[in-house]
Amino acid sequence: MKIYLLSLIFVFALPFFTSASGVVINEVMFDPAGDDSASGVGKEWIEIYNGGDVTADLSGWELYSDGIGYFNFSKGFLLASKNIAVIHLRASGTDSASDLYFPSAGSNMGNTSGSAALFSAEPRSKDTIKSFVQWGKAGQTWESDAEKATFWVKGTFIDLSSLSEGNSIALRSDGDVGSKKDAWMVDSSPTPGIL
């Protein structure tokens, strides 16, 4: 009887636990139209998506991009199921459930090559990396850990030969947890915050 009651409690309580297993980098704008270092300030962004079935608590998570550094999600930041949050780099604003700002980002992301990685905790490693993408060339920061986590293939990258200024790279299918190279495409119509 005790085992049956414990099983019932677990089954009914399970949907209320928060999990972040479905949170991924969904779209990256690293080469906005215009001069990135002057008028382009604040135009770069990274979109994350919660493809999971429950709200994800991203307290303590970190988003990394070459040149930018580490953006730390604030304690208590929740991303609802099937929702997006856009992290605006080198821009100021008021954080909300869908828009976060990182005004102290180090510099611009690389227009010809770079990478972005999402971590659930420190220390950053194959055990805490949750999403990764690299463009322009292989061997970017965190590539080896993404391969060890089995969602990236070392030596692969998003080819930018068809990318123009103002294009983004995006998952072909929002929230594709696999996130290997073939899951990504150059998007000529960027849609920050819109599925």
Side-chain angles (χ1 to χ4, degrees):
M1 182 67 168
K2 288 181 184 179
I3 292 174
Y4 175 75
L5 286 173
L6 286 174
S7 297
L8 278 176
I9 290 169
F10 180 76
V11 167
F12 287 110
L14 188 60
F16 300 104
F17 292 130
T18 60
S19 168
S21 61
V23 178
V24 297
I25 297 168
N26 205 54
E27 189 173 0
V28 180
M29 170 55 78
F30 57 86
D31 189 10
D35 183 354
D36 293 5
S37 62
S39 62
V41 172
K43 292 183 179 180
E44 293 181 332
W45 46 265
I46 299 175
E47 177 185 273
I48 61 169
Y49 175 67
N50 178 6
D53 293 328
V54 296
T55 295
D57 184 350
L58 300 187
S59 300
W61 281 51
E62 295 181 322
L63 177 65
Y64 170 81
S65 181
D66 294 319
I68 298 297
Y70 292 92
F71 170 80
N72 298 297
F73 290 87
S74 61
K75 184 174 171 117
F77 180 76
L78 303 176
L79 185 57
S81 171
K82 311 301 186 248
N83 275 276
I84 287 174
V86 178
I87 296 82
H88 302 272
L89 307 171
R90 300 181 72 200
S92 297
T94 303
D95 289 346
S96 69
S98 59
D99 291 283
L100 303 169
Y101 297 87
F102 189 27
S104 62
S107 64
N108 292 316
M109 288 188 273
N111 291 347
T112 58
S113 66
S115 68
L118 184 64
F119 296 90
S120 61
E122 287 194 47
R124 301 172 203 112
S125 70
K126 69 175 181 60
D127 298 319
T128 58
I129 192 169
K130 299 301 176 190
S131 186
F132 176 82
V133 61
Q134 66 185 357
W135 56 90
K137 70 177 184 177
Q140 304 291 320
T141 308
W142 299 113
E143 178 194 55
S144 294
D145 288 278
E147 181 187 46
K148 290 174 189 169
T150 70
F151 54 77
W152 196 261
V153 176
K154 192 172 184 176
T156 63
F157 56 91
I158 309 305
D159 178 18
L160 302 180
S161 60
S162 65
L163 183 124
S164 299
E165 270 191 350
N167 292 171
S168 66
I169 56 172
L171 286 174
R172 293 179 191 279
S173 176
D174 290 320
D176 183 351
V177 195
S179 296
K180 288 189 171 82
K181 176 190 156 266
D182 292 338
W184 290 85
M185 66 178 186
V186 171
D187 191 344
S188 60
S189 301
T191 57
I194 300 171
L195 290 174

